[in-house]
Amino acid sequence: MTDSLILSILADGAFAAVAATGFAVISNPPKKAILIAAGLAAVGHALRFYLLHNTVLDITTASLAAAFAIGLISMLAAKLIHCPAEVFSFPSLLPMVPGMYAYKTVLATIRFMSSHGTGDPQELIVQICQNGLTTIFVMFALVIGVSLPMFIFHKQSFMMTRLLNNKRPA
Amino acid sequence: MKEQVPIRELSNFLLDFSTTLMSAGVHTSRVVRNVHRIAGSFGYSVEMTIFQKHITMSILHAEDDSIRRTSVRAIPAGTFNFNTISQLSSLSWAANDEHLPLEELRRRYEAIVAEPRISRWWVLLLVSCANASFCRLFGGDPAAMGLVFVATLVGFFVRQEMMRFHVNHMAVFVVASFVASMIASVGVWHHWGETPQVALGTSVLFLIPGVPLINSIIDTLEGHVLVGFSRAVNACILIICIALGLSATLLILGLDLL
């Protein structure tokens, strides 16, 4: 790996961390969860960036791998701070949610419907399908990736918040 | 077994508990698990049906099924609150492990629900920073990042104010997306930096309903298909609203970039 590649991966992770923090605070997470969400988002997004730019993987598979990594680390983190894992694994997925593909699908549909439409209708149909399918598949990849570790460690994932109470003096 | 809790009070508490969790943005199976846990600690069993706007819950005594109560409660429209989810979830384990009395559960529940949210000004600032760095992730240059920061600052403020006055949430999304994209389009107009079209494209992304989208897929995969699809439909409506606001900007300015 060249230095510039490492640098751009690190920058990608750092900006993803800021993005995750901002999108997380909208849903008022516990304060200790915000930092972990930022860290997880950095790892996940940087991993996806690396896979997208340096391997043959497409955005769906890369998202699946990134979400799986987030899911694994969030299980460990949940054990450490005794919070349900989704409290920080969901916010860390938010920068990877395919929002732009989603609204581009709608924009292409609007343009296809308008009679004085600019652009070739066949090209627009391709855009609608491409953006729409990417949205759906990436969303499924994110959710399946992040919940695979929870299926693997099924029992532990229920117990995360219980440990909180075992620590409390009786 | 402990002495019997009045079924009416337990039923009211569990309905409060589960409707609060649902409006705080949790996936359905966690609500079901938590409610079973609490009811179990009082020696009752629970069957529940959850829809997008209502919860139906039947509570019956584990040993004497003539003691039963069924009620329906509407789920209030609320804002997402992960702190509530985390704390109520551990409250359900406390009920299970320590067999807390119902009054104690009720007291802790009220305390958790009353906890203040993060200040709205902090949220405004952090969301603006977040969207600006999101713009960078899509390849925007510093000029585009600055533009997106301002656009999000104004757009999110408009959203907060309209939410405060309980304007219809679809109208909120159309207007907020229109305002944010209108501000970002200034860069396209004046050719600021190398990537003004990235600024225009990412300026509305702070509105994307990410948590409902994730929850809808989890619910669908876990078998709560109706709730999952209701959530997905709601999220799609909001995405269409975002695209409408954005396309209004594109139409007014005669742009054909995205």
Side-chain angles (χ1 to χ4, degrees), chain A residues 12 15 18-19 22 26-28 83-84 86-87 90 95 103 106 111 118 139 143 158 161-162 164-165 168, chain B residues 27 30 33 80-83 86 90 93 97 108 117-118 126-127 130 133-134 137 201 217-218 243 246 256 258:
Chain A
D12 186 88
F15 282 110
V18 179
I26 298 180
S27 34
N28 196 38
C83 251
E86 71 240 35
V87 167
F90 285 11
Y103 78 69
V106 185
R111 209 171 293 165
T118 48
M139 274 318 296
V143 172
F158 290 166
T161 49
R162 185 182 207 172
L164 180 70
N165 303 295
R168 194 179 291 152
Chain B
H27 57 268
R30 182 175 283 281
R33 279 204 307 270
F80 291 150
N81 195 332
F82 281 4
N83 188 33
S86 174
S90 53
W93 273 119
D97 293 343
R108 288 197 191 178
R117 294 178 72 93
I118 300 172
L126 286 172
V127 170
S133 37
F134 213 41
L137 291 179
I217 293 178
I218 291 200
L246 184 55
D256 188 27
L258 297 171

Side-chain angles (χ1 to χ4, degrees), chain B residues 68-132:
Chain B
R68 59 163 73 214
R69 190 180 176 87
T70 302
S71 9
V72 187
R73 176 79 61 87
I75 298 170
T79 40
F80 291 150
N81 195 332
F82 281 4
N83 188 33
T84 309
I85 296 176
S86 174
Q87 301 223 35
L88 286 186
S89 193
S90 53
L91 180 66
S92 76
W93 273 119
N96 182 74
D97 293 343
E98 302 167 29
H99 290 289
L100 297 172
L102 191 55
E103 301 82 57
E104 172 69 11
L105 281 182
R106 172 62 82 173
R107 205 180 53 72
R108 288 197 191 178
Y109 164 81
E110 301 290 353
I112 292 169
V113 174
E115 275 185 28
R117 294 178 72 93
I118 300 172
S119 146
R120 58 176 288 205
W121 304 111
W122 268 113
V123 175
L124 181 61
L125 181 69
L126 286 172
V127 170
S128 306
C129 293
N131 218 19

Side-chain angles (χ1 to χ4, degrees), chain A residues 1-14 45-55, chain B residues 136:
Chain A
M1 265 198 270
T2 59
D3 283 354
S4 69
L5 176 64
I6 295 175
L7 210 63
S8 59
I9 290 176
L10 287 181
D12 186 88
H45 208 282
L47 177 63
R48 184 170 88 158
F49 180 85
Y50 172 75
L51 291 176
L52 270 179
H53 291 268
N54 295 282
T55 59
Chain B
R136 168 68 171 67

Side-chain angles (χ1 to χ4, degrees), chain A residues 128-144:
Chain A
I128 294 170
C129 289
Q130 227 165 28
N131 287 321
L133 289 177
T134 311
T135 310
I136 294 171
F137 278 107
V138 171
M139 274 318 296
F140 269 91
L142 288 179
V143 172
I144 292 173

Side-chain angles (χ1 to χ4, degrees), chain B residues 10-95:
Chain B
L10 180 65
S11 159
N12 284 337
F13 174 71
L14 286 180
L15 280 169
D16 283 345
F17 183 90
S18 52
T19 48
T20 307
L21 266 185
M22 278 302 278
S23 62
V26 73
H27 57 268
T28 311
S29 61
R30 182 175 283 281
V31 180
V32 176
R33 279 204 307 270
N34 286 358
V35 166
H36 275 268
R37 215 174 276 154
I38 295 179
S41 90
F42 292 106
Y44 287 97
S45 67
V46 174
E47 296 299 335
M48 56 198 298
T49 312
I50 298 183
F51 290 121
Q52 171 73 13
K53 301 198 94 166
H54 293 88
I55 292 182
T56 313
M57 192 188 283
S58 252
I59 304 184
L60 58 156
H61 199 275
E63 285 152 17
D64 178 5
D65 67 359
S66 66
I67 308 174
R68 59 163 73 214
R69 190 180 176 87
T70 302
S71 9
V72 187
R73 176 79 61 87
I75 298 170
T79 40
F80 291 150
N81 195 332
F82 281 4
N83 188 33
T84 309
I85 296 176
S86 174
Q87 301 223 35
L88 286 186
S89 193
S90 53
L91 180 66
S92 76
W93 273 119

